Amino acid sequence: MGDGALRTYSSRFADVMEMRAPVAQVSEYLDAHQGWFGRCAAPMQVMPLGCNGYRLTLGRFGNFGFELEPTIALELLPQQQSVYRIETLDDPSSDGVAEGYAVDFQASLQLRPEQEHTLVQWDLDLTVAIRLPAFIGVLPESLVQSSGDHLLRQIVRQVSRRLTWKVQEDFHAHAGLSCPPRRRALF
């Protein structure tokens, strides 16, 4: 991969997903992630890792003529008092830093009852370190940083919208309920 500098991009994201069912029913669905996670993450490639982990290949992304196809290993931790956590999982079959990037993914989903519905409030703290090729070092620092920050937000917006909608559709279809209309991401 080149000997360019390791650049770090961090951001925090938050949004809400409406589920038209009580907390207990939503919780039962989320607890059974082995059934829905792979379906809802498609078209990303998903490979199970143990009981609660998954390796996802996100697709090809790039900027300034530099592209990579990031893979991330995530662990969906068992809920604790209606709070779910998703964290980066050490994946022994992959060395992201050697491949030019490293990801720290820390998310939480909190189930909040709202009359007969449930709101799933999610937060994501994401840090990505990327070893950019040396030729990018000739560009102004502020341009490289702002372009990377913009690309990170764009990737998360695209992936989260698709994943949120697919989880809502899948949950409501399996429960025989009408799905709430699509809404724009809050970020």
Side-chain angles (χ1 to χ4, degrees):
M1 156 115 333
D3 57 358
L6 190 66
R7 303 230 180 224
T8 302
Y9 303 95
S10 297
S11 224
R12 182 176 173 94
F13 305 91
D15 208 347
V16 177
M17 176 171 54
E18 179 187 355
M19 304 297 240
R20 293 184 169 169
V23 168
Q25 188 175 357
V26 174
S27 183
E28 183 178 316
Y29 171 83
L30 293 176
D31 288 343
H33 57 82
Q34 297 85 352
W36 61 264
F37 190 81
R39 282 192 310 268
C40 295
M44 291 183 283
Q45 295 175 3
V46 178
M47 175 184 285
L49 297 172
C51 295
N52 296 318
Y54 299 92
R55 181 183 308 118
L56 288 97
T57 302
L58 303 180
R60 294 196 70 74
F61 298 97
N63 222 352
F64 300 122
F66 168 71
E67 282 191 345
L68 53 93
E69 188 171 28
T71 297
I72 182 172
L74 298 176
E75 183 174 17
L76 282 65
L77 300 171
Q79 70 146 315
Q80 293 184 346
Q81 299 176 356
S82 295
V83 176
Y84 293 83
R85 298 207 182 286
I86 304 171
E87 299 178 351
T88 308
L89 178 65
D90 287 332
D91 183 358
S93 70
S94 175
D95 183 4
V97 175
E99 295 170 24
Y101 64 91
V103 178
D104 182 21
F105 184 104
Q106 303 293 321
S108 68
L109 293 83
Q110 184 164 8
L111 306 185
R112 298 184 184 267
E114 173 116 344
Q115 297 168 353
E116 66 275 357
H117 298 157
T118 301
L119 294 180
V120 180
Q121 168 72 45
W122 65 263
D123 295 289
L124 169 61
D125 286 318
L126 183 63
T127 301
V128 178
I130 302 174
R131 185 162 315 281
L132 297 173
F135 75 84
I136 290 181
V138 302
L139 298 171
E141 175 69 29
S142 61
L143 177 62
V144 173
Q145 188 66 42
S146 66
S147 294
D149 289 339
H150 176 74
L151 183 60
L152 180 62
R153 281 190 305 274
Q154 189 176 24
I155 292 167
V156 171
R157 186 179 302 120
Q158 175 185 333
V159 170
S160 72
R161 277 186 193 153
R162 184 174 44 218
L163 188 57
T164 296
W165 179 245
K166 287 177 113 179
V167 168
Q168 282 180 304
E169 276 188 326
D170 190 74
F171 169 78
H172 290 89
H174 280 78
L177 301 168
S178 64
C179 192
R182 283 187 189 218
R183 54 186 232 39
R184 295 180 56 93
L186 296 177
F187 54 90

